[in-house]
Amino acid sequence: MNRVSHIFRIAYFQMGKLTRNPRLYMIVICNFIFLTTLMSPLRNFLRMYQLKATPFLFCFLFTHASVIFCFLVGIILLFSNAPFFDHSQMFLVIRTGKTRWALGQMIYMLLGSILYFLLLYGMSILFLLPYISFRNEWGSVWNTLARTDLGVQFGVSLTVPANVLNHFEPVELLSWIFLMGILNAMLLGLLLFFCNLFLGRMAGITAAVLFLLTPFRLSFMPDFLHYLAAPAWMDPTYLLYNPTWRGPDARQQILILCGMLLLLAMGCIWGIRHKDLPEVEE
């Protein structure tokens, strides 16, 4: 039990540093500016008709590959220095052992990913103010954008798939988006951890950015790569069967993501246990 508490103390220590790090809030602010620019026609549409949207804009943002890229680039900026060595971490490694220290860092990345996506969701709520109604239903705005061309007339660059609204309840879809976002963020964090450990920091950042670019080139990729393009699965349209979609279904997406996370986690732990500790970063 004491060993488990050490793991969570390491994660708690790291979370304390993250919440005090202005980088986290600057990333969210930059994404808010990007969202405001991209979705300004939506606000004009709501203002023109004096409509109030329910708080589920976040579900449809990921139909844009550019939104997936920008939101997940924030994870790269947060976790680019994994495995987070500094003088205080060196002390923790000596006190707790390498394996527990590595597990603590992974739990920290999980908690940090959850916090990051909660902040992004809060950002989407802030964007809708004051044109928002806190009701657990799709409401008239999202149904109008999904079933008419009124959004196109206003230049709203937001895809609201009608079949998604037909098949899923709002909280159900929002939970799925959060799950896919957190799993993808963890995958990026562990990819950075693994590559930084074995290949160096520049290799880690390069690998993570290339991974994020997969949604942009998905239609040109061979079929087997569709089973590795995890960032593209944040698009809610991939939840429904499509004869033209060559990738995995929802259940397979979860299994593949969990498999990749497990392999990377095992590789990171093995590397921490068997490699010399890197130089301390100031």
Side-chain angles (χ1 to χ4, degrees), residues 190-243:
L190 287 177
L191 180 63
L192 288 163
F193 194 127
F194 182 86
C195 292
N196 291 355
L197 196 58
F198 289 96
L199 302 173
R201 187 171 181 179
M202 287 306 300
I205 294 174
T206 302
V209 171
L210 289 175
F211 184 63
L212 284 191
L213 291 174
T214 53
F216 292 96
R217 307 298 297 173
L218 202 58
S219 59
F220 303 99
M221 291 181 177
D223 288 357
F224 77 93
L225 285 180
H226 286 241
Y227 286 81
L228 300 175
W233 306 339
M234 294 177 68
D235 184 342
T237 56
Y238 291 143
L239 270 171
L240 300 174
Y241 174 74
N242 184 338

Side-chain angles (χ1 to χ4, degrees), residues 6-8 10-12 14-15 79 82-84 89 98-114 182-183 185-194 197-198 260-273:
H6 284 159
I7 294 171
F8 282 96
I10 292 168
Y12 177 78
Q14 286 292 87
M15 282 299 295
F79 298 152
F84 315 109
Q89 295 299 320
K98 290 183 175 181
T99 300
R100 288 191 290 277
W101 178 84
L103 289 172
Q105 301 299 336
M106 292 175 194
I107 292 175
Y108 153 66
M109 287 193 289
L110 173 61
L111 297 176
S113 299
I114 293 171
I182 291 165
L183 289 177
M186 272 296 294
L187 186 61
L188 278 173
L190 287 177
L191 180 63
L192 288 163
F193 194 127
F194 182 86
L197 196 58
F198 289 96
M260 289 193 289
L261 288 171
L262 181 61
L263 288 175
L264 283 171
M266 291 171 62
C268 292
I269 291 172
W270 186 91
I272 288 293
R273 293 186 63 178

Side-chain angles (χ1 to χ4, degrees), residues 170-191:
V171 173
E172 182 183 11
L173 183 61
L174 183 63
S175 300
W176 174 263
I177 296 296
F178 262 98
L179 176 63
M180 294 304 292
I182 291 165
L183 289 177
N184 269 281
M186 272 296 294
L187 186 61
L188 278 173
L190 287 177
L191 180 63

